[in-house]
């Protein structure tokens, strides 16, 4: 309560200290359509250096801040247009001034993308990676494309930012209420050809859900900007050891106040996954296993919706998203156990097929109202989502002695279906006070009901027998209430953003197993403050210093809480943990920006009760290895880094990211500390005749992944793009992991267990794709169709 009172007092004092004036408006072309990403400068009379400069947004809107009243020159420019200047007078109130640019007759779209939308852009609170015109992203799923972003590591469906796990995924600003296999399936069905950009938000502010200690990745889908009918059709084929393809179509129609859209995509992929592992075994034994897996997955994604403009101040929107996926994973395993006394040696060979399918459906409704002309608005969102998952796995194994003499066979199978229903609704109001600042407040409710069931069978004497001792039903109910307040202003020459979010979680997990009922009820409330400060160090604002602090947490995902059991081989299994507790995170960051380009970063992050999916030995059977989420203790991450964009020539742009971190994990059963170097570069080459080339390369000296330390990892990816027929046809080709170096190896540590492993997946592959764009209309601004449930999607597994 004291913290909340202090924030309110700061808000009140800030109002009396503001004296800046704003110049805002829109950069338009001769047909009154917005000119996206144009550059706007505000220059005091008699001077040559601007006091403010901005890049307009995708609709051409801009806002500049003048510290004093007086005469200024307002200048706007954009590639493909003639530069325009005008004299303006800034008085005691804000000034609205639209600027009209004349076209030079050049074909603008390609030049704007290359000049105004670089592959990587560093903003105040996030990194933006352009996907739409990135040849490297062609044919990839959204999950695969994430790994191209600076600081992002993706492996086996797990995502981390700057070494911090617990990353959540949003689509168009809506948090996905999926996790685990469900999230992986959804992101695999969402193809890169449907994506405009990805925003990497390491430290989200208060208006975002507090869920996610590893930050957030916001996937921004493509929006069409033409009235009439327009869209695109695309197809990609990829070839590694195995082939795969994905196809899709996107269409938009706008007439009058009504706008509708429809997207459909289908993918069919086949991959391999080879894992070798060895570990110490009881009685001085040595366990080794060779696992060879082939996965086949198909995915369909459907998104339809529309917007209706009630008037020029308000609109409503509705949308439906369906994601239908199947995943077949066939593993064969050869396991050998060697003892000092060779008479005890054994060999086993088995197959472990798994079949997984999910049907995800979500319907959303939202309402937007502009309440004044200075940026105040009301937004109301609601979503209802369902996810039905069917999971079947089995194992068939033959055992032999050290002399390859047959001993016995075993066979088992299990089925673990689940059904989830989630309703979310939230509202926010943004009140703009012009030069005094902006106050945002909102609230959210989330209601979740999940039914998980499991049935186990063993094969004995020629028939399948039910193993009722292992069968279970797990019912999960969760209600979340949240509210937040955020204030943005400039105080004494310093930009400030203060936020406070409160969330109350009321959940009950009930386990029915072996004629016993075990309830697990929890009710907890937490506050999550956030502070962002930025101060310009020179008059131009090209040198600045910024600092931030925020507190976040991770609720256990629905999948992690499900006490399912899955088998990798006869000595390795995975299972959920219904007794997980939330993980809490405190993050501090300091940034220095030099010459409006180079960004130097220092940060410190500490997690308490960290949730990690660790590898350990079973408590009642040291021969058995289990993969299970646990609250392991604390983690710390000290990091320094630099982001440096370099323009070597008009046709060659580069972005470099270098990070050095010390990461520590302190758990009762193990302790890990590593100094880690991360290097990454993204390079873009704009060549004559509409050719372009993209290159991405990275190096990681080590990675701490749960209770594993992964050896050095590096790879190079190259893509090329060609545009034809006035940009209607786009051809793309890329090669991932050109030198086949993205091979993972390392070791897991837990008490006396040391498990060495190596893994090779289908990371090296060639992709060839084409896109045909059709356009039968004139420019308009497509409304955003937002959702309230994206955070819930990232917790379903």
């Amino acid at each position: 309560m004291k913290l909340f009172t202090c924030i309110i007092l700061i808000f009140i004092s800030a109002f009396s200290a503001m004296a800046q004036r704003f110049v805002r408006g829109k950069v338009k072309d001769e047909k009154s359509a917005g000119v996206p990403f144009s550059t706007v400068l505000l220059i005091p009379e008699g001077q040559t250096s601007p006091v403010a400069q901005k890049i307009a947004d995708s609709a051409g809107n801009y806002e500049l801040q003048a510290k004093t009243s007086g005469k200024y020159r307002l200048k706007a420019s954009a590639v493909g247009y003639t530069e325009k200047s005008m004299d303006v007078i800034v008085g005691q109130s804000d000034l609205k001034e639209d600027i009209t640019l004349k076209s030079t007759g050049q074909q603008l779209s390609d030049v704007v993308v290359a000049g105004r939308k670089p592959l990587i852009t560093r903003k105040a609170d996030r990194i933006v990676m352009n996907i739409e015109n990135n040849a490297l992203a062609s044919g990839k799923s959204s999950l695969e494309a994430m790994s191209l972003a600076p600081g992002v590591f993706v492996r086996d469906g797990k995502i981390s930012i700057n070494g911090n796990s617990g990353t959540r995924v949003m689509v168009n600003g809506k948090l996905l209420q999926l996790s685990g296999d469900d999230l992986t399936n959804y992101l695999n069905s969402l193809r890169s050809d449907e994506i405009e950009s990805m925003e990497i938000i390491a430290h989200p502010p208060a208006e975002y859900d507090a869920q996610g200690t590893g930050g957030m990745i916001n996937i921004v889908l493509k929006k069409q900007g033409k009235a009439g009918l327009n869209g695109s059709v695309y197809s990609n084929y990829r070839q590694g050891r195995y082939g795969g393809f994905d196809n899709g179509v996107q269409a938009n129609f706008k007439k009058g106040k009504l706008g509708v859209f429809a997207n459909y995509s289908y993918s069919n992929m086949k991959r391999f996954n080879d894992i070798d592992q060895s570990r110490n075994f009881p009685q001085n034994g040595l366990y080794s296993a060779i696992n060879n897996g082939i996965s086949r997955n198909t995915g369909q994604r459907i998104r339809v919706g529309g917007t209706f403009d009630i008037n020029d101040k308000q609109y409503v929107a509705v949308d439906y998203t369906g994601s239908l996926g199947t995943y077949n994973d066939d593993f064969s395993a050869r396991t050998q156990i060697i003892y000092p006394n060779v008479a005890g040696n054994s060999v086993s060979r088995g197959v472990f097929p798994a079949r997984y399918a999910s049907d995800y459906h979500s319907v959303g409704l939202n309402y937007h109202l502009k309440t004044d002309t200075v940026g105040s608005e009301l937004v109301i969102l609601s979503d209802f989502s369902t996810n039905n998952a069917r999971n079947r796995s089995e194992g068939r194994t033959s055992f032999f002695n050290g002399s390859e003499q047959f001993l016995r066979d075993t066979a088992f199978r299990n089925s673990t279906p689940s059904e989830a229903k989630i309703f979310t609704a939230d509202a926010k109001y943004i009140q703009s006070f012009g030069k005094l600042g902006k106050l945002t407040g909102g609230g959210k409710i989330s209601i979740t009901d999940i039914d998980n069931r499991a049935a186990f069978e063993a094969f004995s004497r020629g028939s399948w027998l039910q193993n009722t001792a292992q069968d279970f039903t797990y019912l999960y109910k969760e209600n979340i209430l949240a509210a937040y307040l955020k204030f943005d202003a400039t105080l004494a020459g310093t930009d400030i953003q203060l936020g406070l979010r409160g969330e109350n979680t009321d959940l009950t997990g009930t386990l029915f197993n072996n004629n016993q009922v075990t309830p697990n009820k929890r009710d907890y409330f937490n506050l999550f403050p956030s502070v962002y400060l930025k101060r310009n160090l020179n008059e131009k604002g090209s040198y600045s210093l910024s600092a931030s602090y925020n507190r976040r947490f991770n609720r256990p995902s629905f999948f992690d809480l499900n006490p399912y059991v899955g088998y990798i081989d006869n000595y390795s299994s995975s299972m959920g943990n219904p007794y997980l507790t939330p993980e809490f995170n405190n993050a501090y960051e300091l940034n220095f920006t030099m010459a409006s380009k180079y960004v130097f970063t220092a940060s410190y992050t500490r997690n308490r009760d960290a949730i990690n999916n660790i590898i350990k030995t079973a408590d009642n059977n040291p021969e058995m290895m289990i993969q299970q989420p646990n609250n392991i203790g604390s983690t710390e991450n000290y990091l320094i880094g630099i982001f440096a964009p370099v323009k070597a020539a008009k046709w060659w742009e580069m972005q470099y990211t270098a990070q050095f971190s010390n990461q520590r994990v302190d758990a009762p059963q193990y302790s890990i500390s590593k100094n880690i170097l991360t290097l990454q570069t993204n390079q873009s080459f704009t060549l004559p005749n509409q050719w372009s080339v993209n290159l991405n390369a990275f190096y990681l000296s080590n990675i701490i992944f749960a209770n594993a330390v992964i050896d050095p990892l590096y790879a190079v990816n190259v893509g090329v793009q060609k545009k034809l027929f006035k940009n209607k046809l786009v051809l793309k080709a890329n090669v991932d992991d050109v030198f086949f170096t993205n091979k993972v190896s390392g070791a897991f540590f837990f008490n006396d267990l040391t498990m060495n492993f190596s893994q090779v997946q289908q990371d090296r592959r060639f992709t060839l794709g084409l896109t045909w764009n059709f356009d039968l209309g004139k420019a308009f601004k497509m409304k955003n169709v937002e959702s309230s449930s994206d955070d819930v999607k990232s917790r379903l597994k």
Side-chain angles (χ1 to χ4, degrees):
M1 196 65 189
K2 290 181 180 180
L3 176 61
F4 186 78
T5 302
C6 290
I7 291 177
I8 294 297
L9 290 174
I10 294 174
F11 290 169
I12 295 173
S13 65
F15 281 125
S16 62
M18 304 298 105
Q20 287 82 5
R21 287 87 174 166
F22 286 90
V23 180
R24 55 172 62 90
K26 185 174 184 177
V27 182
K28 302 182 293 185
D29 62 17
E30 295 159 294
K31 297 180 179 180
S32 296
V35 178
F37 312 114
S38 48
T39 301
V40 187
L41 308 176
L42 188 64
I43 306 170
E45 185 181 39
Q47 298 184 23
T48 58
S49 299
V51 294
Q53 55 185 1
K54 286 288 180 66
I55 299 296
D57 64 17
S58 58
N61 298 310
Y62 73 91
E63 182 179 86
L64 300 171
Q65 191 177 79
K67 295 183 178 180
T68 61
S69 59
K71 295 183 179 180
Y72 291 85
R73 177 163 289 273
L74 187 62
K75 182 183 294 186
S77 62
V79 176
Y81 293 87
T82 302
E83 182 180 274
K84 183 173 182 179
S85 298
M86 61 174 58
D87 293 326
V88 297
I89 298 176
V90 178
Q92 298 302 314
S93 58
D94 294 344
L95 176 66
K96 186 178 187 301
E97 194 71 55
D98 292 342
I99 308 170
T100 300
L101 300 181
K102 293 183 178 181
S103 173
T104 60
Q106 298 177 12
Q107 290 294 325
L108 182 62
S109 56
D110 290 338
V111 183
V112 170
V113 168
R116 300 303 179 194
K117 297 180 70 174
L119 191 60
I120 302 294
T121 303
R122 180 72 183 245
K123 294 188 176 182
D125 62 346
R126 66 196 64 191
I127 293 173
V128 180
M129 179 174 67
N130 178 28
I131 297 293
E132 186 173 7
N133 287 277
N134 184 353
L136 291 171
S138 181
K140 288 182 171 59
S141 69
S142 57
L143 188 64
E144 294 167 330
M146 288 177 189
S147 62
L148 298 173
V152 177
F153 180 74
V154 179
R155 197 73 183 183
D156 296 330
K158 303 295 183 182
I159 309 167
S160 64
I161 298 176
N162 297 336
N164 298 313
S165 59
T167 301
R168 299 300 175 182
V169 180
M170 299 184 292
V171 176
N172 281 349
K174 302 182 293 182
L175 197 59
L176 294 174
Q177 305 286 19
L178 296 168
S179 56
D181 293 336
D182 293 330
L183 178 62
T184 300
N185 236 339
Y186 181 93
L187 295 177
N188 279 332
S189 68
L190 176 54
R191 311 305 296 179
S192 63
D193 291 82
E194 302 176 50
I195 299 171
E196 178 181 310
S197 63
M198 289 186 180
E199 299 175 342
I200 316 305
I201 311 172
H203 307 296
E207 68 250 47
Y208 294 103
D209 284 44
Q211 171 81 4
T213 57
M216 292 180 172
I217 296 177
N218 182 33
I219 299 173
V220 180
L221 301 179
K222 291 180 179 178
K223 297 188 292 290
Q224 296 294 333
K226 297 285 185 179
L229 178 65
N230 51 80
S232 62
V233 180
Y234 68 87
S235 180
N236 299 287
Y237 177 79
R238 66 196 300 178
Q239 182 67 52
R241 182 185 297 179
Y242 303 107
F245 64 89
D246 68 285
N247 306 311
V249 59
Q250 306 164 36
N252 300 269
F253 179 77
K254 172 73 174 180
K255 185 175 183 180
K257 296 183 176 182
L258 179 66
V260 296
F261 62 86
N263 300 343
Y264 174 79
S265 64
Y266 176 81
S267 61
N268 189 318
M269 299 293 172
K270 183 178 179 181
R271 306 175 180 87
F272 73 89
N273 186 9
D274 296 338
I275 304 173
D276 294 351
Q277 51 181 302
S278 63
R279 60 184 170 97
N280 46 316
F281 213 66
Q283 301 177 8
N284 297 319
L286 178 64
Y287 163 96
S288 63
I290 299 174
N291 301 303
N292 302 113
I294 296 177
S295 63
R296 302 171 179 85
N297 69 282
T298 62
Q300 299 182 74
R301 187 173 183 275
I302 306 163
R303 184 170 181 255
V304 295
T307 64
F308 180 76
D309 299 328
I310 300 173
N311 52 44
D312 59 352
K313 293 184 178 180
Q314 56 184 329
Y315 72 90
V316 293
V318 63
D319 74 313
Y320 161 79
T321 300
S323 180
L324 316 175
T326 61
Y327 187 92
N328 298 326
D329 199 3
D330 294 305
F331 261 99
S332 62
R334 184 185 186 278
T335 303
Q336 184 175 25
I337 302 174
I338 300 174
Y339 294 98
N341 182 359
V342 295
N345 292 354
S346 66
V347 175
S348 64
R349 288 187 286 270
V351 291
F352 300 86
R355 304 290 181 263
Y356 173 83
S358 68
D359 301 333
Y360 171 81
H361 304 275
S362 177
V363 177
L365 177 67
N366 60 79
Y367 170 76
H368 291 243
L369 171 65
K370 294 181 179 179
T371 58
D372 57 32
T373 60
V374 294
S376 301
E377 65 175 333
L378 172 68
V379 180
I380 300 175
L381 311 174
S382 64
D383 286 89
F384 179 71
S385 306
T386 64
N387 191 73
N388 296 313
R390 288 90 60 200
N391 197 347
R392 295 182 61 88
S393 63
E394 61 181 283
R396 300 184 297 272
T397 308
S398 297
F399 292 87
F400 305 84
N401 63 20
S403 301
E404 290 288 339
Q405 294 177 324
F406 175 76
L407 299 178
R408 68 186 188 280
D409 285 330
T410 63
F412 60 84
R413 65 187 184 188
N414 60 55
S415 174
T416 55
S418 68
E419 181 179 3
K421 299 177 181 179
I422 303 168
F423 172 78
T424 62
D426 65 288
K428 68 176 179 180
Y429 181 71
I430 303 171
Q431 178 62 56
S432 174
F433 299 99
K435 60 189 178 183
L436 296 178
K438 181 171 64 176
L439 182 65
T440 305
K444 182 172 183 178
I445 182 173
S446 174
I447 301 172
T448 301
D449 192 341
I450 302 179
D451 185 338
N452 303 280
R453 299 177 184 271
F456 295 82
E457 295 178 298
F459 192 78
S460 178
R461 298 179 180 178
S463 62
W464 289 100
L465 302 177
Q466 189 173 2
N467 186 353
T468 56
Q470 284 188 286
D471 293 353
F472 69 83
T473 297
Y474 183 67
L475 304 180
Y476 183 85
K477 298 181 181 296
E478 178 187 83
N479 296 322
I480 300 173
L481 290 173
Y484 72 90
L485 192 66
K486 182 171 72 78
F487 181 69
D488 298 85
T490 301
L491 176 63
T494 300
D495 295 334
I496 65 170
Q497 182 189 99
L498 303 176
L500 182 64
R501 186 180 185 92
E503 294 194 3
N504 186 84
T505 304
D506 180 8
L507 67 88
T508 301
T510 307
L511 178 63
F512 300 85
N513 173 251
N514 204 19
N515 296 321
Q516 293 184 342
V517 179
T518 308
N520 180 22
K521 182 174 176 58
R522 295 174 191 168
D523 191 342
Y524 50 88
F525 174 78
N526 297 102
L527 289 174
F528 303 94
S530 62
V531 179
Y532 293 81
L533 305 172
K534 179 186 176 183
R535 186 174 182 86
N536 292 334
L537 303 179
N538 65 341
E539 189 173 334
K540 295 181 181 180
S542 57
Y543 289 77
S544 64
L545 191 65
S546 63
S548 68
Y549 162 76
N550 65 5
R551 183 175 189 255
R552 300 182 61 78
F553 82 142
N554 261 348
R555 296 184 190 91
S557 72
F558 307 132
F559 180 75
D560 286 343
L561 292 168
N562 184 355
Y564 74 98
V565 177
Y567 292 91
I568 302 170
D569 57 39
N570 284 279
Y571 301 96
S572 308
S573 66
S574 60
M575 63 179 61
N577 183 353
Y579 303 107
L580 290 171
T581 60
E583 167 188 8
F584 290 88
N585 162 278
N586 287 277
Y588 307 81
E589 185 169 290
L590 184 67
N591 289 294
F592 171 64
T593 301
M594 183 174 70
S596 299
K597 296 192 299 183
Y598 310 105
V599 181
F600 299 85
T601 300
S603 67
Y604 170 71
T605 304
R606 178 179 172 83
N607 290 7
R608 173 172 59 86
D609 297 327
I611 300 174
N612 275 339
N613 204 22
I614 63 173
I615 301 288
K616 65 177 185 176
T617 52
D619 295 335
N620 57 354
N621 182 5
E623 295 183 355
M624 193 71 184
M625 186 180 67
I626 297 175
Q627 185 176 30
Q628 183 185 45
N630 278 259
N631 291 106
I632 55 97
S634 65
T635 65
E636 290 182 291
N637 186 357
Y638 299 82
L639 180 144
I640 57 174
I642 180 174
F643 172 76
V646 178
K647 190 166 186 176
K650 290 183 178 180
W651 51 271
W652 184 6
E653 294 185 0
M654 302 171 279
Q655 294 92 24
Y656 292 95
T657 301
Q659 296 176 342
F660 178 79
S661 63
N662 176 261
Q663 299 180 23
R664 305 175 185 177
V665 181
D666 188 10
Q669 300 86 0
Y670 62 95
S671 181
I672 300 173
S673 178
K674 279 288 181 182
N675 293 322
I676 298 175
L677 176 64
T678 303
L679 302 174
Q680 187 172 31
T681 182
N682 289 280
Q683 308 205 16
S684 301
F685 305 86
T686 303
L687 305 178
N689 299 318
Q690 303 283 29
W691 285 93
S692 62
V693 177
N694 297 112
L695 181 144
N696 168 274
F698 73 89
Y699 169 81
L700 291 163
S701 63
N702 285 113
I703 304 169
I704 297 178
F705 198 73
N707 58 326
V709 176
I710 296 177
D711 297 333
L713 198 62
Y714 57 96
V716 176
N717 311 300
V718 178
V720 62
Q721 176 177 277
K722 167 67 174 176
K723 294 186 176 183
L724 301 164
F725 306 118
K726 296 183 179 180
N727 304 331
K728 289 184 177 181
L729 178 63
V730 182
L731 303 178
K732 298 180 182 180
N734 63 61
V735 178
D736 294 320
D737 194 12
V738 175
F739 303 107
F740 204 24
T741 54
N742 196 13
K743 303 175 182 179
V744 174
S745 62
F748 286 91
F749 304 94
F750 190 88
N751 287 333
D752 296 330
L753 168 70
T754 300
M755 189 190 81
N756 298 300
F757 71 95
S758 63
Q759 181 184 44
V760 180
Q761 296 179 325
Q762 190 164 297
D763 290 315
R764 184 166 67 175
R765 54 200 172 233
F766 170 76
T767 302
L768 180 64
L770 62 87
T771 300
W772 178 263
N773 299 303
F774 55 90
D775 182 1
L776 305 172
K778 61 181 181 180
F780 75 98
K781 183 179 179 182
M782 189 70 178
K783 299 291 193 302
N784 284 325
V785 182
E786 302 178 68
S787 167
S788 171
S789 65
D790 281 350
D791 57 327
V792 180
K793 293 178 192 172
S794 62
R795 294 180 60 217
L796 282 172
K797 289 186 177 179

